[in-house]
PDB file of all heavy atoms in Angstrom:
ATOM      1  N   TYR A   1     101.128 108.371 118.875  1.00 98.00           N
ATOM      2  CA  TYR A   1     100.211 108.636 119.975  1.00 98.00           C
ATOM      3  C   TYR A   1      98.791 108.287 119.545  1.00 98.00           C
ATOM      4  O   TYR A   1      98.430 108.455 118.385  1.00 98.00           O
ATOM      5  CB  TYR A   1     100.288 110.099 120.398  1.00 98.00           C
ATOM      6  CG  TYR A   1     101.628 110.459 120.989  1.00 98.00           C
ATOM      7  CD1 TYR A   1     102.619 111.051 120.214  1.00 98.00           C
ATOM      8  CD2 TYR A   1     101.912 110.191 122.326  1.00 98.00           C
ATOM      9  CE1 TYR A   1     103.849 111.374 120.766  1.00 98.00           C
ATOM     10  CE2 TYR A   1     103.135 110.503 122.876  1.00 98.00           C
ATOM     11  CZ  TYR A   1     104.106 111.089 122.082  1.00 98.00           C
ATOM     12  OH  TYR A   1     105.322 111.400 122.623  1.00 98.00           O
ATOM     13  N   ASN A   2      97.992 107.821 120.492  1.00 98.00           N
ATOM     14  CA  ASN A   2      96.611 107.426 120.198  1.00 98.00           C
ATOM     15  C   ASN A   2      95.686 108.218 121.113  1.00 98.00           C
ATOM     16  O   ASN A   2      95.463 107.851 122.264  1.00 98.00           O
ATOM     17  CB  ASN A   2      96.438 105.924 120.408  1.00 98.00           C
ATOM     18  CG  ASN A   2      95.064 105.452 120.008  1.00 98.00           C
ATOM     19  OD1 ASN A   2      94.073 106.127 120.208  1.00 98.00           O
ATOM     20  ND2 ASN A   2      95.004 104.250 119.438  1.00 98.00           N
ATOM     21  N   ASP A   3      95.156 109.301 120.586  1.00 97.00           N
ATOM     22  CA  ASP A   3      94.313 110.180 121.389  1.00 97.00           C
ATOM     23  C   ASP A   3      92.996 109.530 121.772  1.00 97.00           C
ATOM     24  O   ASP A   3      92.502 109.717 122.886  1.00 97.00           O
ATOM     25  CB  ASP A   3      94.082 111.504 120.663  1.00 97.00           C
ATOM     26  CG  ASP A   3      93.547 112.579 121.594  1.00 97.00           C
ATOM     27  OD1 ASP A   3      94.077 112.710 122.719  1.00 97.00           O
ATOM     28  OD2 ASP A   3      92.590 113.282 121.210  1.00 97.00           O
ATOM     29  N   SER A   4      92.412 108.753 120.871  1.00 98.00           N
ATOM     30  CA  SER A   4      91.124 108.132 121.203  1.00 98.00           C
ATOM     31  C   SER A   4      91.288 107.090 122.311  1.00 98.00           C
ATOM     32  O   SER A   4      90.429 106.980 123.191  1.00 98.00           O
ATOM     33  CB  SER A   4      90.472 107.512 119.959  1.00 98.00           C
ATOM     34  OG  SER A   4      91.273 106.485 119.432  1.00 98.00           O
ATOM     35  N   ALA A   5      92.396 106.344 122.320  1.00 98.00           N
ATOM     36  CA  ALA A   5      92.641 105.386 123.409  1.00 98.00           C
ATOM     37  C   ALA A   5      92.884 106.130 124.721  1.00 98.00           C
ATOM     38  O   ALA A   5      92.461 105.677 125.783  1.00 98.00           O
ATOM     39  CB  ALA A   5      93.827 104.486 123.079  1.00 98.00           C
ATOM     40  N   ALA A   6      93.553 107.278 124.648  1.00 98.00           N
ATOM     41  CA  ALA A   6      93.777 108.079 125.859  1.00 98.00           C
ATOM     42  C   ALA A   6      92.447 108.596 126.408  1.00 98.00           C
ATOM     43  O   ALA A   6      92.215 108.544 127.622  1.00 98.00           O
ATOM     44  CB  ALA A   6      94.712 109.247 125.549  1.00 98.00           C
ATOM     45  N   ARG A   7      91.565 109.070 125.533  1.00 97.00           N
ATOM     46  CA  ARG A   7      90.245 109.549 125.986  1.00 97.00           C
ATOM     47  C   ARG A   7      89.430 108.406 126.595  1.00 97.00           C
ATOM     48  O   ARG A   7      88.787 108.585 127.638  1.00 97.00           O
ATOM     49  CB  ARG A   7      89.479 110.207 124.833  1.00 97.00           C
ATOM     50  CG  ARG A   7      89.970 111.598 124.494  1.00 97.00           C
ATOM     51  CD  ARG A   7      89.016 112.333 123.559  1.00 97.00           C
ATOM     52  NE  ARG A   7      88.675 111.591 122.357  1.00 97.00           N
ATOM     53  CZ  ARG A   7      89.393 111.587 121.232  1.00 97.00           C
ATOM     54  NH1 ARG A   7      90.484 112.308 121.166  1.00 97.00           N
ATOM     55  NH2 ARG A   7      89.003 110.897 120.189  1.00 97.00           N
ATOM     56  N   ALA A   8      89.463 107.236 125.978  1.00 97.00           N
ATOM     57  CA  ALA A   8      88.720 106.089 126.506  1.00 97.00           C
ATOM     58  C   ALA A   8      89.278 105.669 127.860  1.00 97.00           C
ATOM     59  O   ALA A   8      88.514 105.370 128.788  1.00 97.00           O
ATOM     60  CB  ALA A   8      88.775 104.920 125.512  1.00 97.00           C
ATOM     61  N   TRP A   9      90.592 105.655 127.988  1.00 96.00           N
ATOM     62  CA  TRP A   9      91.220 105.290 129.264  1.00 96.00           C
ATOM     63  C   TRP A   9      90.811 106.287 130.350  1.00 96.00           C
ATOM     64  O   TRP A   9      90.452 105.895 131.455  1.00 96.00           O
ATOM     65  CB  TRP A   9      92.735 105.258 129.111  1.00 96.00           C
ATOM     66  CG  TRP A   9      93.456 104.700 130.292  1.00 96.00           C
ATOM     67  CD1 TRP A   9      93.850 103.411 130.498  1.00 96.00           C
ATOM     68  CD2 TRP A   9      93.907 105.432 131.446  1.00 96.00           C
ATOM     69  NE1 TRP A   9      94.503 103.296 131.707  1.00 96.00           N
ATOM     70  CE2 TRP A   9      94.541 104.522 132.301  1.00 96.00           C
ATOM     71  CE3 TRP A   9      93.823 106.761 131.834  1.00 96.00           C
ATOM     72  CZ2 TRP A   9      95.088 104.908 133.529  1.00 96.00           C
ATOM     73  CZ3 TRP A   9      94.349 107.137 133.055  1.00 96.00           C
ATOM     74  CH2 TRP A   9      94.986 106.216 133.891  1.00 96.00           C
ATOM     75  N   ALA A  10      90.865 107.578 130.034  1.00 95.00           N
ATOM     76  CA  ALA A  10      90.481 108.613 130.999  1.00 95.00           C
ATOM     77  C   ALA A  10      89.015 108.476 131.390  1.00 95.00           C
ATOM     78  O   ALA A  10      88.657 108.598 132.571  1.00 95.00           O
ATOM     79  CB  ALA A  10      90.752 110.004 130.432  1.00 95.00           C
ATOM     80  N   SER A  11      88.171 108.172 130.428  1.00 93.00           N
ATOM     81  CA  SER A  11      86.741 108.011 130.712  1.00 93.00           C
ATOM     82  C   SER A  11      86.482 106.819 131.634  1.00 93.00           C
ATOM     83  O   SER A  11      85.648 106.891 132.530  1.00 93.00           O
ATOM     84  CB  SER A  11      85.990 107.829 129.397  1.00 93.00           C
ATOM     85  OG  SER A  11      84.630 107.610 129.631  1.00 93.00           O
ATOM     86  N   ASP A  12      87.232 105.739 131.434  1.00 92.00           N
ATOM     87  CA  ASP A  12      87.046 104.531 132.248  1.00 92.00           C
ATOM     88  C   ASP A  12      87.716 104.611 133.612  1.00 92.00           C
ATOM     89  O   ASP A  12      87.215 104.057 134.584  1.00 92.00           O
ATOM     90  CB  ASP A  12      87.610 103.301 131.529  1.00 92.00           C
ATOM     91  CG  ASP A  12      86.798 102.904 130.322  1.00 92.00           C
ATOM     92  OD1 ASP A  12      85.649 103.364 130.201  1.00 92.00           O
ATOM     93  OD2 ASP A  12      87.326 102.144 129.487  1.00 92.00           O
ATOM     94  N   ARG A  13      88.846 105.286 133.689  1.00 91.00           N
ATOM     95  CA  ARG A  13      89.667 105.226 134.900  1.00 91.00           C
ATOM     96  C   ARG A  13      89.592 106.444 135.809  1.00 91.00           C
ATOM     97  O   ARG A  13      90.014 106.375 136.953  1.00 91.00           O
ATOM     98  CB  ARG A  13      91.138 105.014 134.519  1.00 91.00           C
ATOM     99  CG  ARG A  13      91.395 103.772 133.709  1.00 91.00           C
ATOM    100  CD  ARG A  13      91.539 102.568 134.624  1.00 91.00           C
ATOM    101  NE  ARG A  13      91.730 101.352 133.897  1.00 91.00           N
ATOM    102  CZ  ARG A  13      92.894 100.774 133.673  1.00 91.00           C
ATOM    103  NH1 ARG A  13      93.993 101.323 134.128  1.00 91.00           N
ATOM    104  NH2 ARG A  13      92.966  99.652 132.997  1.00 91.00           N
ATOM    105  N   CYS A  14      89.141 107.565 135.305  1.00 87.00           N
ATOM    106  CA  CYS A  14      89.087 108.769 136.144  1.00 87.00           C
ATOM    107  C   CYS A  14      87.714 108.849 136.803  1.00 87.00           C
ATOM    108  O   CYS A  14      86.699 108.867 136.114  1.00 87.00           O
ATOM    109  CB  CYS A  14      89.332 110.013 135.308  1.00 87.00           C
ATOM    110  SG  CYS A  14      91.047 110.151 134.757  1.00 87.00           S
ATOM    111  N   PRO A  15      87.679 108.897 138.115  1.00 74.00           N
ATOM    112  CA  PRO A  15      86.387 108.909 138.815  1.00 74.00           C
ATOM    113  C   PRO A  15      85.617 110.191 138.541  1.00 74.00           C
ATOM    114  O   PRO A  15      86.181 111.241 138.280  1.00 74.00           O
ATOM    115  CB  PRO A  15      86.777 108.803 140.290  1.00 74.00           C
ATOM    116  CG  PRO A  15      88.213 109.197 140.360  1.00 74.00           C
ATOM    117  CD  PRO A  15      88.812 108.940 139.018  1.00 74.00           C
ATOM    118  N   ARG A  16      84.315 110.065 138.612  1.00 71.00           N
ATOM    119  CA  ARG A  16      83.446 111.202 138.389  1.00 71.00           C
ATOM    120  C   ARG A  16      82.564 111.396 139.628  1.00 71.00           C
ATOM    121  O   ARG A  16      82.443 110.518 140.463  1.00 71.00           O
ATOM    122  CB  ARG A  16      82.551 110.940 137.187  1.00 71.00           C
ATOM    123  CG  ARG A  16      83.323 110.572 135.936  1.00 71.00           C
ATOM    124  CD  ARG A  16      82.795 111.306 134.752  1.00 71.00           C
ATOM    125  NE  ARG A  16      83.379 110.926 133.489  1.00 71.00           N
ATOM    126  CZ  ARG A  16      84.621 111.157 133.122  1.00 71.00           C
ATOM    127  NH1 ARG A  16      85.449 111.722 133.924  1.00 71.00           N
ATOM    128  NH2 ARG A  16      85.056 110.828 131.941  1.00 71.00           N
ATOM    129  N   GLY A  17      81.962 112.541 139.733  1.00 65.00           N
ATOM    130  CA  GLY A  17      81.021 112.783 140.820  1.00 65.00           C
ATOM    131  C   GLY A  17      81.626 113.613 141.936  1.00 65.00           C
ATOM    132  O   GLY A  17      82.816 113.909 141.953  1.00 65.00           O
ATOM    133  N   PRO A  18      80.800 113.986 142.903  1.00 69.00           N
ATOM    134  CA  PRO A  18      81.224 114.932 143.949  1.00 69.00           C
ATOM    135  C   PRO A  18      82.185 114.339 144.975  1.00 69.00           C
ATOM    136  O   PRO A  18      82.887 115.095 145.640  1.00 69.00           O
ATOM    137  CB  PRO A  18      79.906 115.337 144.604  1.00 69.00           C
ATOM    138  CG  PRO A  18      79.006 114.183 144.365  1.00 69.00           C
ATOM    139  CD  PRO A  18      79.410 113.614 143.032  1.00 69.00           C
ATOM    140  N   ASN A  19      82.258 113.035 145.133  1.00 67.00           N
ATOM    141  CA  ASN A  19      83.088 112.451 146.185  1.00 67.00           C
ATOM    142  C   ASN A  19      84.446 111.951 145.694  1.00 67.00           C
ATOM    143  O   ASN A  19      85.113 111.208 146.389  1.00 67.00           O
ATOM    144  CB  ASN A  19      82.337 111.292 146.855  1.00 67.00           C
ATOM    145  CG  ASN A  19      81.113 111.788 147.572  1.00 67.00           C
ATOM    146  OD1 ASN A  19      81.119 112.879 148.134  1.00 67.00           O
ATOM    147  ND2 ASN A  19      80.059 111.009 147.540  1.00 67.00           N
ATOM    148  N   ARG A  20      84.839 112.369 144.525  1.00 73.00           N
ATOM    149  CA  ARG A  20      86.134 111.902 144.017  1.00 73.00           C
ATOM    150  C   ARG A  20      87.270 112.581 144.763  1.00 73.00           C
ATOM    151  O   ARG A  20      87.133 113.703 145.271  1.00 73.00           O
ATOM    152  CB  ARG A  20      86.234 112.132 142.518  1.00 73.00           C
ATOM    153  CG  ARG A  20      86.270 113.577 142.114  1.00 73.00           C
ATOM    154  CD  ARG A  20      86.423 113.683 140.594  1.00 73.00           C
ATOM    155  NE  ARG A  20      86.478 115.060 140.200  1.00 73.00           N
ATOM    156  CZ  ARG A  20      85.509 115.677 139.542  1.00 73.00           C
ATOM    157  NH1 ARG A  20      84.441 115.020 139.190  1.00 73.00           N
ATOM    158  NH2 ARG A  20      85.642 116.946 139.235  1.00 73.00           N
ATOM    159  N   GLN A  21      88.384 111.907 144.820  1.00 79.00           N
ATOM    160  CA  GLN A  21      89.524 112.404 145.587  1.00 79.00           C
ATOM    161  C   GLN A  21      90.308 113.474 144.831  1.00 79.00           C
ATOM    162  O   GLN A  21      90.833 114.401 145.425  1.00 79.00           O
ATOM    163  CB  GLN A  21      90.443 111.238 145.924  1.00 79.00           C
ATOM    164  CG  GLN A  21      91.607 111.618 146.808  1.00 79.00           C
ATOM    165  CD  GLN A  21      92.419 110.402 147.208  1.00 79.00           C
ATOM    166  OE1 GLN A  21      92.122 109.282 146.826  1.00 79.00           O
ATOM    167  NE2 GLN A  21      93.456 110.613 147.975  1.00 79.00           N
ATOM    168  N   PHE A  22      90.381 113.331 143.497  1.00 87.00           N
ATOM    169  CA  PHE A  22      91.149 114.272 142.686  1.00 87.00           C
ATOM    170  C   PHE A  22      90.232 114.985 141.713  1.00 87.00           C
ATOM    171  O   PHE A  22      89.055 114.652 141.596  1.00 87.00           O
ATOM    172  CB  PHE A  22      92.258 113.542 141.932  1.00 87.00           C
ATOM    173  CG  PHE A  22      93.211 112.812 142.837  1.00 87.00           C
ATOM    174  CD1 PHE A  22      93.302 111.437 142.817  1.00 87.00           C
ATOM    175  CD2 PHE A  22      94.016 113.506 143.725  1.00 87.00           C
ATOM    176  CE1 PHE A  22      94.177 110.763 143.654  1.00 87.00           C
ATOM    177  CE2 PHE A  22      94.890 112.849 144.572  1.00 87.00           C
ATOM    178  CZ  PHE A  22      94.967 111.466 144.532  1.00 87.00           C
ATOM    179  N   GLY A  23      90.792 115.931 140.990  1.00 87.00           N
ATOM    180  CA  GLY A  23      90.001 116.729 140.058  1.00 87.00           C
ATOM    181  C   GLY A  23      89.783 116.058 138.721  1.00 87.00           C
ATOM    182  O   GLY A  23      89.903 114.842 138.572  1.00 87.00           O
ATOM    183  N   ASP A  24      89.478 116.896 137.756  1.00 86.00           N
ATOM    184  CA  ASP A  24      89.144 116.428 136.415  1.00 86.00           C
ATOM    185  C   ASP A  24      90.338 115.792 135.718  1.00 86.00           C
ATOM    186  O   ASP A  24      91.497 116.113 136.015  1.00 86.00           O
ATOM    187  CB  ASP A  24      88.652 117.598 135.560  1.00 86.00           C
ATOM    188  CG  ASP A  24      87.318 118.139 136.032  1.00 86.00           C
ATOM    189  OD1 ASP A  24      86.543 117.354 136.605  1.00 86.00           O
ATOM    190  OD2 ASP A  24      87.068 119.340 135.839  1.00 86.00           O
ATOM    191  N   CYS A  25      90.030 114.930 134.754  1.00 90.00           N
ATOM    192  CA  CYS A  25      91.045 114.357 133.864  1.00 90.00           C
ATOM    193  C   CYS A  25      90.873 114.979 132.492  1.00 90.00           C
ATOM    194  O   CYS A  25      89.781 115.408 132.119  1.00 90.00           O
ATOM    195  CB  CYS A  25      90.865 112.846 133.732  1.00 90.00           C
ATOM    196  SG  CYS A  25      91.478 111.928 135.130  1.00 90.00           S
ATOM    197  N   ASP A  26      91.956 115.004 131.772  1.00 93.00           N
ATOM    198  CA  ASP A  26      91.944 115.539 130.416  1.00 93.00           C
ATOM    199  C   ASP A  26      92.884 114.688 129.579  1.00 93.00           C
ATOM    200  O   ASP A  26      94.003 114.385 130.008  1.00 93.00           O
ATOM    201  CB  ASP A  26      92.408 117.001 130.436  1.00 93.00           C
ATOM    202  CG  ASP A  26      92.156 117.719 129.126  1.00 93.00           C
ATOM    203  OD1 ASP A  26      91.456 117.173 128.254  1.00 93.00           O
ATOM    204  OD2 ASP A  26      92.670 118.841 128.974  1.00 93.00           O
ATOM    205  N   ALA A  27      92.433 114.261 128.418  1.00 95.00           N
ATOM    206  CA  ALA A  27      93.284 113.512 127.482  1.00 95.00           C
ATOM    207  C   ALA A  27      93.650 114.446 126.337  1.00 95.00           C
ATOM    208  O   ALA A  27      92.763 114.970 125.659  1.00 95.00           O
ATOM    209  CB  ALA A  27      92.556 112.282 126.960  1.00 95.00           C
ATOM    210  N   ARG A  28      94.943 114.659 126.169  1.00 95.00           N
ATOM    211  CA  ARG A  28      95.431 115.581 125.132  1.00 95.00           C
ATOM    212  C   ARG A  28      96.525 114.922 124.323  1.00 95.00           C
ATOM    213  O   ARG A  28      97.555 114.550 124.870  1.00 95.00           O
ATOM    214  CB  ARG A  28      96.030 116.826 125.767  1.00 95.00           C
ATOM    215  CG  ARG A  28      95.036 117.699 126.432  1.00 95.00           C
ATOM    216  CD  ARG A  28      95.746 118.851 127.062  1.00 95.00           C
ATOM    217  NE  ARG A  28      94.755 119.740 127.624  1.00 95.00           N
ATOM    218  CZ  ARG A  28      94.856 121.044 127.559  1.00 95.00           C
ATOM    219  NH1 ARG A  28      95.898 121.609 127.014  1.00 95.00           N
ATOM    220  NH2 ARG A  28      93.925 121.783 128.104  1.00 95.00           N
ATOM    221  N   ARG A  29      96.248 114.779 123.044  1.00 96.00           N
ATOM    222  CA  ARG A  29      97.276 114.292 122.115  1.00 96.00           C
ATOM    223  C   ARG A  29      97.948 113.012 122.631  1.00 96.00           C
ATOM    224  O   ARG A  29      99.141 112.849 122.552  1.00 96.00           O
ATOM    225  CB  ARG A  29      98.285 115.400 121.843  1.00 96.00           C
ATOM    226  CG  ARG A  29      97.627 116.596 121.190  1.00 96.00           C
ATOM    227  CD  ARG A  29      98.477 117.819 120.920  1.00 96.00           C
ATOM    228  NE  ARG A  29      99.895 117.669 120.984  1.00 96.00           N
ATOM    229  CZ  ARG A  29     100.666 118.293 121.883  1.00 96.00           C
ATOM    230  NH1 ARG A  29     100.129 119.061 122.804  1.00 96.00           N
ATOM    231  NH2 ARG A  29     101.965 118.144 121.853  1.00 96.00           N
ATOM    232  N   GLY A  30      97.136 112.108 123.182  1.00 98.00           N
ATOM    233  CA  GLY A  30      97.647 110.815 123.627  1.00 98.00           C
ATOM    234  C   GLY A  30      98.130 110.761 125.059  1.00 98.00           C
ATOM    235  O   GLY A  30      98.535 109.709 125.531  1.00 98.00           O
ATOM    236  N   VAL A  31      98.089 111.882 125.774  1.00 97.00           N
ATOM    237  CA  VAL A  31      98.566 111.937 127.155  1.00 97.00           C
ATOM    238  C   VAL A  31      97.383 112.259 128.070  1.00 97.00           C
ATOM    239  O   VAL A  31      96.629 113.200 127.811  1.00 97.00           O
ATOM    240  CB  VAL A  31      99.675 113.008 127.312  1.00 97.00           C
ATOM    241  CG1 VAL A  31     100.160 113.081 128.749  1.00 97.00           C
ATOM    242  CG2 VAL A  31     100.829 112.726 126.364  1.00 97.00           C
ATOM    243  N   VAL A  32      97.222 111.469 129.134  1.00 97.00           N
ATOM    244  CA  VAL A  32      96.142 111.686 130.093  1.00 97.00           C
ATOM    245  C   VAL A  32      96.721 112.397 131.312  1.00 97.00           C
ATOM    246  O   VAL A  32      97.701 111.934 131.914  1.00 97.00           O
ATOM    247  CB  VAL A  32      95.495 110.364 130.537  1.00 97.00           C
ATOM    248  CG1 VAL A  32      94.362 110.624 131.537  1.00 97.00           C
ATOM    249  CG2 VAL A  32      94.982 109.582 129.337  1.00 97.00           C
TER     250      VAL A  32
END
């Protein structure tokens, strides 16, 4: 598992801000 790649993917792909459709993302032990 690659936790740093999971965190980078979550940072790039999970929308931020008040108008996002879904909630927060979390990368844990390689799983987003």
Side-chain angles (χ1 to χ4, degrees):
Y1 294 96
N2 185 323
D3 196 44
S4 62
R7 284 192 308 274
W9 188 93
S11 177
D12 290 344
R13 302 276 178 99
C14 289
R16 306 225 186 291
N19 295 325
R20 67 178 181 251
Q21 185 175 0
F22 301 115
D24 292 332
C25 282
D26 192 10
R28 291 177 176 219
R29 298 177 15 244
V31 179
V32 180

